[in-house]
Amino acid sequence: MPLQILFLNMVTDIFPALALGLGTGDKTVMSRPPRAPGKNIITNKKWLAIALHSASITSTVVIAVVYCKVALHSDDQTCNNIAFITLTLAQLFHVFNMSSEGSGFINNEITRNKWIWIAILICSGLLLLVFALPGLRLVLGLSQLSFKLWLSATTASLLPLVIFQGYKAFQKIYSRES
């Protein structure tokens, strides 16, 4: 729904982007040679990563909705709510995929950035607030959901993070063997 999309964009884009901007970044960036002027800014490897990010988030939302509809026999509004929650949380968790290549999953410039954690808390709080306040729920066309549905959406929203971190680990192993 249009207001859900607006809420989603405001919540998942503003605070995490500000937090990333306040981070220290990769300390080795200035020791790397500059990109050749004739080379593309976005390499084929980066395009592949963008496609993987997009496909993993999209497929996760679809899987969550199908699970909700088929396995839990939920109505269309509940499935819409699951799509909304899954997409919101998947985009919030996606910020952890923004660490530099070669950095670890647990200890990197993103996980050390206190502003990222604050942004995720704020955004998660706003998401919970929308579901907790009947007026906001009504405006956004949402309904109260059971713990099982929240757990399903949250679990599904973690899949893109797992997929991309697996991709990064594979890239690290593959680059060592080459």
Side-chain angles (χ1 to χ4, degrees), residues 16 21-22 26 36 48 73 87 105 113 116-117 124 136 147 153 158:
L22 292 170
D26 184 7
L48 178 63
H73 309 290
L87 186 55
F105 173 63
N113 182 344
I116 293 291
W117 295 103
S124 299
L136 287 176
F147 177 76
L158 288 167

Side-chain angles (χ1 to χ4, degrees), residues 35-170:
R35 175 185 54 83
K39 266 186 133 180
N40 293 332
I41 294 173
I42 302 177
T43 63
N44 288 340
K45 184 178 174 183
K46 294 286 184 192
W47 279 116
L48 178 63
I50 291 168
L52 183 61
H53 287 294
S54 304
S56 65
I57 290 174
T58 301
S59 60
T60 294
V61 173
V62 170
I63 289 167
V65 170
V66 168
Y67 174 76
C68 181
K69 190 72 171 172
V70 174
L72 302 178
H73 309 290
S74 300
D75 59 42
D76 291 343
Q77 183 178 9
T78 301
C79 290
N80 174 276
N81 285 220
I82 292 300
F84 177 72
I85 295 167
T86 304
L87 186 55
T88 303
L89 292 176
Q91 287 185 324
L92 287 178
F93 296 144
H94 181 64
V95 74
F96 293 108
N97 286 331
M98 298 297 105
S99 59
S100 60
E101 290 181 28
S103 66
F105 173 63
I106 302 296
N107 188 14
N108 59 54
E109 68 277 9
I110 302 295
T111 57
R112 288 189 302 267
N113 182 344
K114 72 176 180 178
W115 299 108
I116 293 291
W117 295 103
I118 292 169
I120 288 175
L121 283 173
I122 289 170
C123 295
S124 299
L126 289 171
L127 178 64
L128 291 172
L129 189 65
V130 163
F131 278 91
L133 298 176
L136 287 176
R137 241 189 356 253
L138 180 65
V139 167
L140 291 175
L142 302 170
S143 58
Q144 286 187 323
L145 300 175
S146 68
F147 177 76
K148 184 176 185 176
L149 289 169
W150 273 95
L151 185 62
S152 299
T154 304
T155 302
S157 68
L158 288 167
L159 288 175
L161 179 63
V162 171
I163 290 168
F164 197 72
Q165 291 303 317
Y167 171 75
K168 282 175 71 174
F170 174 77

